Amino acid sequence: MRWLLVLVVFCHAGEAWAQSGESGATATGVSRKFNPAISLNGLFLGSGFSGRSEMQGQEGEEGEEGLESGMRVQEIEFKFTAAIDPYTSADFVFTYEDGEFGLEEAYVSSGILSHGIGLRAGQVFVPWGHENPLHAHQLPFVNRSLFAQAVFGGEALSEFGLEARWVPPLSWFFELRGAVFNGDDAALFSGPEEWDLAYHGGFDALWDVSEGGTIALSGAYLGGPNASGTAEGAKWSHLGNGVLRYKWVSPRRPQSRVLDVVAEYQYAEREAGMMEEQGIRRGAYGYAMLKFARRWWIEGRYDALNESGASADTQRASFMLAFVPSEFTALRFQTSYVDTPEDQFVEYLLQLNFIIGSHPAHNY
Amino acid sequence: MHVEYATKRLLPLVAICAVVSAPLQAAEVRVVATTSDVAAVFQRVGGERVEVTTLAKGYMDPHYLQAKPSYIVSLRRADILAYNGLQLEIGWLPLILQGARNNKINLGQPGHVPMSVRLDILEIPIGEVSRAQGDVHPEGNPHYTLDPRNLIEMASTAEAALVRVDPEGGSIYAGNRAAFVTQLQEQIPIWERKLAPYRGRPIVCYHKQWEYLLNWLELVPIDYVENRPGIPPSPRHVEELERRMREQGVPILLSSTFIDSDQLERLSEKTGAKLLVLPAAVGAEEELDEPVAFFAHLVEELAAAFADGSSD
């Protein structure tokens, strides 16, 4: 509820400034020109299933988004962005989901460091892999990969920490980053020592292979002591991934001709204590998105998850058709065939994705 | 032994670094321009002292450029970022500017140059602005580079920016600007005379991007195929527009090279209006790589289209 209070205060402040007239100045001389850019993203979701066993149909595992049939608010996201001063800017992202308000991201970024170095401090989506840094409304499909559902609970992994990025002076894009996080995620980290942290390192490289085409390669590591360790002997969780991406945007028809092909391999290992089993999870997915008309695109994805101790792999094949009437609305229909060790079923998801407020810049 | 070993292995590495960083040692001032029109003005004023990189080439729609990380590489090295502004680049420029982490070109720095500052901006919305009106630009119509008179002011903005970051080149920039402005001032009356017979004639445009050109030439845009900016038109609107165009005998249906023309060809056939697809920026076609040639081409094409319409 405290996030609700924060939102109410923000909105009330904005309204008070807005009522101060066209000049934008209040009686105290405060200008609303300095208000943060505010946007709201809404995701409404309808879901249904066929071929699923009764038991599976009644209760989905935590984080398996869309396992309950029916219609609901999938997520409402509120974003506030502004420069704090000439040296720093701040971003806050709050969400309303499953009847609760929460903080997804709250960070301060440096803007003045030279030599291509940037710093970020606060609560952030860990920049691990292709999907994790994306908010729900930015995801290429309605739900995250099977690996993300199993390891991160279907949500992005969000941690508090300090991150540094460096773009060396090369003639192609290459970025190195490193970060130290608090390691609060109970399933992955939460080491026994007070100062047990999680450590992240990664890179992104991108080459222009034609005027409209790029190839991107990225990799990342995230690791830290987990709760299975003791003061005498730490046990670590290790996560690694590699992403290969080809994207082509027609230079003359960017609104109606886009091809995006992504493949990602994901790995997670949780070292275990004496009485526990070591857990290893491997995931891989590949998807292709084709925008073939100004308002339409189609997507296909194959997704697999291998878990130590499971009798068989979990696999999923998804198809999506999206109708995009404007830059600010998308209606997406996704159907998936899901094959788990326990069950096979078909999933139908219909999502309305919309934004109001400040015009956001679009990620590549 | 160790020195020799290290030298043998380090020399190729140093050579590779030298090759990949070679572009870093080129001109006195590195300018990154978001559009080809802005780039053309800086090229004319800066001459050989500047290296100008264009992000949205003339044949690309600057509304919808993708924020490619490779643009960050250009911005990372820039001394000046010159942009159109009025939210034309809002969908992509903030991300690459943030990613570049180059303080020389951040807001408030000498290298941060919005090119619209000295201009009279058309169609600044009055009263409430809502997305129900389409993808409106709340600061006004951003396509001001389609009036050649605005290039004169833009040249002054470019000169001031270049002098700020490279005072030693001041006299060169002043000379280049004066030559460019003189050339424009000589040509503008010629272009105006060429289209004077058609003043007041109605035109239908696809997108709200030709206002500055039409305002300069005193032509009258009576309606738009895309009646709400950025939103494809409804069949009902196109039907109504078709009726109006026939009734008013609209001679020209104007669009740009980065718009799909299938629907416009059908509208042209049904109404008898000539479909005129013009380049909307310098460099949209290979031979139109500088402003004077570009405007001469626009004027020639418009005059020919009106003449065609009159003879029909």
Side-chain angles (χ1 to χ4, degrees), chain A residues 111-112 115-116 118 165 167 170-171 173 175 208 211 247 251-253 255 294-295 327-328 357 362 364, chain B residues 20 59-60 64 66-70 73 76 91 95 101 103 106 131 135 206 226 230-232 257-258 260:
Chain A
I112 198 165
H115 305 292
R165 292 173 181 247
V167 179
L170 299 172
S171 56
F173 177 77
E175 183 179 72
D208 287 325
E211 189 168 29
K247 186 169 181 179
R252 290 170 192 270
R253 299 282 184 274
Q255 283 181 279
R294 185 166 171 185
R295 291 171 145 176
E327 250 190 292
F328 308 100
H362 309 293
Y364 182 61
Chain B
V20 297
Y59 47 83
M60 297 176 176
Y64 300 105
Q66 299 266 323
K68 277 200 297 190
S70 44
V73 176
R76 165 99 169 75
L95 278 180
R101 299 179 203 116
N103 197 42
N106 277 342
R131 294 251 166 78
D135 194 6
Y206 180 81
E226 191 187 71
I231 309 289
T257 46
F258 48 71
D260 281 321

Side-chain angles (χ1 to χ4, degrees), chain A residues 285-364:
Chain A
Y285 69 86
Y287 76 80
M289 185 274 268
L290 175 68
K291 190 170 188 183
F292 59 92
R294 185 166 171 185
R295 291 171 145 176
W296 295 92
W297 76 65
I298 52 171
E299 293 179 61
R301 173 177 70 180
Y302 173 75
D303 196 2
L305 172 69
N306 172 277
E307 295 182 274
S308 56
S311 58
D313 292 351
T314 299
Q315 299 178 80
R316 178 171 63 186
S318 306
F319 170 80
M320 175 183 278
L321 178 67
F323 172 61
V324 188
S326 76
E327 250 190 292
F328 308 100
T329 319
L331 187 63
R332 309 199 294 174
F333 172 71
Q334 177 183 318
T335 180
S336 303
Y337 174 74
V338 186
D339 181 5
T340 74
E342 297 84 28
D343 205 357
Q344 293 84 40
F345 58 92
V346 179
E347 178 183 58
Y348 306 97
L349 301 168
L350 183 64
Q351 183 195 57
L352 176 65
N353 183 340
F354 63 90
I355 179 169
I356 59 174
S358 170
H359 190 309
H362 309 293
N363 286 321
Y364 182 61

Side-chain angles (χ1 to χ4, degrees), chain A residues 21-90:
Chain A
E22 283 301 309
S23 70
T26 65
T28 56
V30 177
S31 168
R32 64 192 165 96
K33 285 184 182 297
F34 296 108
N35 281 5
I38 302 172
S39 61
L40 181 151
N41 261 100
L43 292 174
F44 297 164
L45 184 68
S47 50
F49 304 88
S50 66
R52 197 163 45 142
S53 66
E54 276 300 304
M55 217 176 117
Q56 185 88 358
Q58 284 169 4
E59 250 180 72
E61 286 176 33
E62 191 184 345
E64 289 190 345
E65 240 173 275
L67 275 182
E68 290 169 24
S69 296
M71 293 182 285
R72 64 191 170 100
V73 174
Q74 184 188 356
E75 185 181 279
I76 304 286
E77 179 189 292
F78 308 87
K79 183 170 185 184
F80 303 82
T81 301
I84 300 171
D85 56 27
Y87 316 108
T88 47
S89 62

Side-chain angles (χ1 to χ4, degrees), chain B residues 292-306:
Chain B
V292 174
F294 170 70
F295 280 103
H297 178 78
L298 294 187
V299 168
E300 286 297 330
E301 289 288 309
L302 275 167
F306 277 120

Side-chain angles (χ1 to χ4, degrees), chain B residues 143-187:
Chain B
H143 303 289
Y144 55 78
T145 54
L146 284 164
D147 182 339
R149 297 170 300 183
N150 285 340
L151 269 56
I152 294 171
E153 291 301 327
M154 289 168 66
S156 299
T157 304
E159 183 195 348
L162 288 168
V163 170
R164 275 199 305 272
V165 301
D166 177 29
E168 288 174 13
S171 58
I172 295 171
Y173 301 138
N176 289 344
R177 185 193 63 82
F180 179 45
V181 168
T182 303
Q183 193 183 11
L184 283 172
Q185 284 172 333
E186 284 170 3
Q187 290 299 318

Side-chain angles (χ1 to χ4, degrees), chain B residues 146-150 152 184-200 212-219 295-296 298-300 302-303 306:
Chain B
L146 284 164
D147 182 339
R149 297 170 300 183
N150 285 340
I152 294 171
L184 283 172
Q185 284 172 333
E186 284 170 3
Q187 290 299 318
I188 286 170
I190 297 171
W191 295 330
E192 287 172 347
R193 278 198 297 277
K194 183 114 188 169
L195 281 166
Y198 309 110
R199 275 182 197 149
Y212 290 90
L213 180 77
L214 303 183
N215 181 57
W216 165 51
L217 296 170
E218 298 180 44
L219 301 169
F295 280 103
L298 294 187
V299 168
E300 286 297 330
L302 275 167
F306 277 120

